[in-house]
Amino acid sequence: MTRNAKINALLLLAVAALAVLPPALGLGDHKEEPFAGADGEAETAITELDPDYEPWFSPLYEPPSGEIESGLFALQAAVGAGVLAYYFGVRRGRRQGAEQARRQQPVPGTGPDTGSDAGSETGSETGSDADPGRPGEAVSPGPRA
């Protein structure tokens, strides 16, 4: 197992533990809604401290039910995860394209055209004058920044 695979397995195990352990250990059993969000907890704390508190603003859209609110929250999280995944995928693709272009570029002083007669000018082609149609010598420009 590679080092990256071990790290990924440990991270997956940690996420699973964070999801399973709180309900399994009974954390939050003393509350009416044990795993409600921080917004509800903050609202409860504010009303206990100052019952006459007036909010500064109201929401732009109030969903008709809790299920719709949860669905919209999940949709927002999915869109955000998709944007992040796209960004990191593009970055990785650009990096891999640049590495591939670097690997395909011939190194000066090596190759099939250099040898014992490298100093003579009789009929030998240099890497820059070589036929670009030959396999292994075509170089892609790589991704544009």
Side-chain angles (χ1 to χ4, degrees):
M1 190 177 231
T2 66
R3 182 173 185 260
N4 284 342
K6 288 179 184 178
I7 291 172
N8 288 341
L10 286 174
L11 288 172
L12 187 61
L13 183 65
V15 168
L18 285 173
V20 172
L21 285 178
L25 296 176
L27 300 176
D29 284 345
H30 62 283
K31 296 181 180 180
E32 186 176 316
E33 294 182 28
F35 299 106
D39 293 343
E41 294 287 327
E43 184 179 346
T44 304
I46 289 171
T47 54
E48 286 177 3
L49 293 174
D50 186 9
D52 298 329
Y53 176 77
E54 291 289 326
W56 294 357
F57 59 90
S58 61
L60 297 175
Y61 171 71
E62 188 75 36
S65 70
E67 291 84 10
I68 293 176
E69 185 176 359
S70 295
L72 290 173
F73 182 75
L75 179 65
Q76 176 186 0
V79 168
V83 168
L84 282 175
Y86 175 77
Y87 170 75
F88 286 118
V90 166
R91 279 192 49 176
R92 182 175 181 165
R94 286 183 179 171
R95 185 177 59 232
Q96 286 177 343
E99 288 174 7
Q100 185 178 10
R102 234 180 280 122
R103 274 183 270 147
Q104 289 180 352
Q105 288 178 348
V107 177
T110 62
D113 295 333
T114 59
S116 60
D117 62 347
S120 68
E121 296 180 359
T122 57
S124 69
E125 297 181 26
T126 61
S128 61
D129 297 331
D131 180 19
R134 288 193 287 179
E137 291 194 20
V139 178
S140 67
R144 296 180 189 256

